[in-house]
Amino acid sequence: MRQTPSGGAGNGAAADPGLMSIGAVLNVLREEFPEVTISKIRFLESEGLIEPQRTPSGYRKFSAGDVERLGQVLRMQRDHYLPLKVIRGHLEAVERGDALPLPVLSRQGDGDVPEPVPEAPTAARIGRSRLLTAAGVDERTLAEWESYGLLAPVEDGVYDAEAVTVAGLLTELGRFGIEPRHLRAMKAAADREAGLVDQVVAPLKRHRNPQTRAHAEARTKELVALTVKLHAALVRTALGVRLP
């Protein structure tokens, strides 16, 4: 783990002219990474990739080294599609003085040219009869779920494979007396969350760089994971429930 530079939150960090606010850092990074956001910078901090100093009032202050490190992290995500855990381990090894090559997930043969970035794969599909069998329900139940918008075919008689997971959860909730009509608000909330995620990744999808466009899928998965965690935490907080 990186050590926070000397002169931290209680030692006049705000007065150091060499330190930058998070907004200033965002402006610097956006020259190379137009899709980066303040939320992304805060997320990388929460994952231990950077440790900015703090002013006595709690504001983040970034050194030139912090900004350089952020650029390295974002570059490895964008150009090499490395997960944060791998990136963190690589940077920590470099800081220890270990001369390690950058991890590579896939290469083309024995040469030095990376494989072309593949197009986003088509999501797996499942037919209606297979969905009924996998979920253990009949046509009437599936039709009821569809009438409330909880499940919908992507084309005639064909569903996204995630429909199996949704069907299983609907069945489990039904055992507690929670009926499809009770879940309309949850579906509406999920649609709004999906719209928010799509709004964030839309600039990536429109970017001229094909690697940046391909990176939109990884960014979408990252945001989905965060929204699911937040949703679960908010429900637990509202109910006053703490899970082990």
Side-chain angles (χ1 to χ4, degrees):
M1 180 65 65
R2 293 174 69 235
Q3 298 298 315
T4 304
S6 60
N11 293 313
D16 189 335
L19 298 179
M20 303 170 63
S21 68
I22 194 169
V25 171
L26 183 67
N27 290 334
V28 171
L29 292 174
R30 275 186 169 168
E31 294 180 10
E32 182 178 355
F33 309 99
E35 74 281 2
V36 74
T37 63
I38 285 179
S39 296
K40 174 67 172 181
I41 296 173
R42 289 173 176 162
F43 174 71
L44 293 176
E45 178 189 357
S46 71
E47 291 294 307
L49 274 302
I50 53 168
E51 294 180 10
Q53 299 181 43
R54 294 276 186 160
T55 68
S57 349
Y59 291 103
R60 296 172 177 83
K61 290 294 179 179
F62 297 79
S63 67
D66 291 325
V67 179
E68 181 181 358
R69 187 180 176 89
L70 277 168
Q72 289 179 310
V73 171
L74 293 171
R75 212 167 285 115
M76 283 189 275
Q77 280 192 309
R78 181 194 65 192
D79 299 341
H80 301 279
Y81 305 96
L82 296 175
L84 293 181
K85 181 178 180 181
V86 174
I87 293 174
R88 185 189 306 111
H90 175 74
L91 293 177
E92 289 175 353
V94 170
E95 288 171 353
R96 290 194 304 267
D98 299 334
L100 296 178
L102 184 68
V104 177
L105 298 184
S106 62
R107 301 190 75 84
Q108 187 175 34
D110 296 326
D112 294 326
V113 181
E115 291 182 354
V117 176
E119 295 292 331
T122 304
R125 300 287 189 256
I126 184 171
R128 189 177 184 89
S129 60
R130 287 186 60 194
L131 175 59
L132 290 169
T133 301
V137 298
D138 54 22
E139 282 280 358
R140 179 178 178 181
T141 300
L142 180 55
E144 184 181 17
W145 290 343
E146 290 179 329
S147 71
Y148 287 101
L150 300 172
L151 279 175
V154 292
E155 55 186 78
D156 188 25
V158 179
Y159 298 77
D160 188 284
E162 191 70 17
V164 176
T165 301
V166 174
L169 293 171
L170 292 173
T171 300
E172 289 295 320
L173 289 170
R175 294 173 181 170
F176 292 90
I178 299 178
E179 301 177 10
R181 60 190 176 88
H182 299 141
L183 300 172
R184 286 179 293 186
M186 189 175 293
K187 177 61 168 62
D191 289 341
R192 288 193 296 269
E193 291 171 10
L196 178 61
V197 170
D198 189 62
Q199 181 181 348
V200 173
V201 300
L204 289 175
K205 295 178 179 178
R206 297 193 300 265
H207 203 276
R208 289 178 294 179
N209 187 328
Q211 286 188 325
T212 301
R213 293 199 300 270
H215 187 52
E217 182 181 3
R219 178 61 53 83
T220 300
K221 291 179 180 178
E222 182 179 348
L223 288 170
V224 167
L226 289 172
T227 55
V228 168
K229 288 181 181 178
L230 176 60
H231 182 87
L234 291 174
V235 172
R236 291 196 300 268
T237 299
L239 294 173
V241 175
R242 296 189 64 180
L243 299 180

